Amino acid sequence: MSARPAGHHARREARRLTVWSIAAIGMVLAVLVAVVLASGWSFATVLAIELAAVGAIFAIERLAGPKVDRWVMGARGEERVGALLDELRAEGWVAIHGVDTGRGNIDTFLAGPGGVFTIEVKATEGKLSARRIHPSVLRQAHAQRKWVEQLIQRPVSPLVVYSHAYLLGRGVNHHGGVCILTARMLVGHLRRRKPVLAPDEVRRITRLVAA
């Protein structure tokens, strides 16, 4: 398995945004203190500056807060899927998490007896229709597949896995050449795949991606 844990990229982005927001708030407060200490302004002027600073801090929190929440939720989804894939390790499956393509990030690359896969994890909650998946999600899955295929020179199957949603209809769906399923269906889906790769080929492919 990959030395990089599942959800690593999303956790890193959440931390980066958190640090950015704290630094921005700290800068606003530092400027406020410096202005107040250096000025002989009236109480009304100082109060106006304080209100402006509070507004700036509120704006920073409104900007960064939801993004941090989305990254944290995404990390939890990837961690859940990563834990499920750990069940397949003894069966010859190898996962590499957080693959940097130079243009984006593949949540998980997976190779094993049943073939080669890219896995894009979505942490959306609630009930979803697999026939109404946003086209951008399908384009993302195809771009990841194409990148890996060019690298390893063999077919790759793109998966979109919803870690916390309930898909209406069948548990495993195919839409636009992409397999769409929930996390609870993932292991069974992979185990049902017809064996197509020998262990030495799995190792060769994963070394290429890891490099």
Side-chain angles (χ1 to χ4, degrees):
M1 297 292 285
S2 169
R4 183 177 297 170
H8 167 82
H9 174 74
R11 291 284 181 191
R12 183 181 63 188
E13 289 299 309
R15 287 194 297 269
R16 182 183 65 80
L17 282 171
T18 301
V19 170
W20 176 87
S21 61
I22 292 172
I25 291 171
M27 185 175 296
V28 170
L29 293 176
V31 170
L32 172 63
V33 171
V35 168
V36 171
L37 292 177
S39 69
W41 293 339
S42 65
F43 174 78
T45 302
V46 172
L47 179 61
I49 294 174
E50 289 179 344
L51 291 175
V54 170
I57 292 171
F58 179 76
I60 291 169
E61 291 180 342
R62 286 290 299 270
L63 176 65
K67 292 183 178 180
V68 171
D69 291 342
R70 285 195 296 270
W71 280 114
V72 169
M73 187 174 180
R76 290 172 179 167
E78 292 174 33
E79 289 163 356
R80 182 181 182 188
V81 171
L84 291 171
L85 294 176
D86 283 344
E87 298 178 21
L88 299 172
R89 190 185 313 179
E91 300 171 32
W93 292 85
V94 180
I96 301 177
H97 303 294
V99 178
D100 185 3
T101 68
R103 294 183 178 180
N105 178 78
I106 299 175
D107 291 336
T108 299
F109 163 86
L110 181 70
V116 182
F117 304 82
T118 56
I119 300 177
E120 174 63 26
V121 180
K122 298 300 181 184
T124 308
E125 297 180 328
K127 295 181 179 180
L128 298 174
S129 170
R131 292 298 175 184
R132 295 183 179 179
I133 301 301
H134 197 280
S136 64
V137 174
L138 301 179
R139 288 195 298 269
Q140 183 182 22
H142 280 301
Q144 294 173 356
R145 171 193 58 79
K146 184 177 179 181
W147 185 87
V148 176
E149 285 182 342
Q150 291 176 342
L151 178 65
I152 67 174
Q153 296 298 303
R154 68 172 299 120
V156 175
S157 300
L159 305 180
V160 174
V161 178
Y162 284 87
S163 59
H164 292 84
Y166 174 81
L167 290 178
L168 301 175
R170 294 177 300 173
V172 179
N173 301 267
H174 295 273
H175 187 38
V178 178
C179 181
I180 301 166
L181 66 164
T182 59
R184 64 187 182 87
M185 304 294 294
L186 179 59
V187 171
H189 174 71
L190 294 170
R191 281 177 171 154
R192 287 192 295 270
R193 298 282 296 199
K194 181 180 178 180
V196 295
L197 289 181
D200 58 342
E201 185 67 4
V202 171
R203 288 190 291 271
R204 185 192 70 81
I205 291 171
T206 52
R207 281 197 297 267
L208 283 173
V209 177

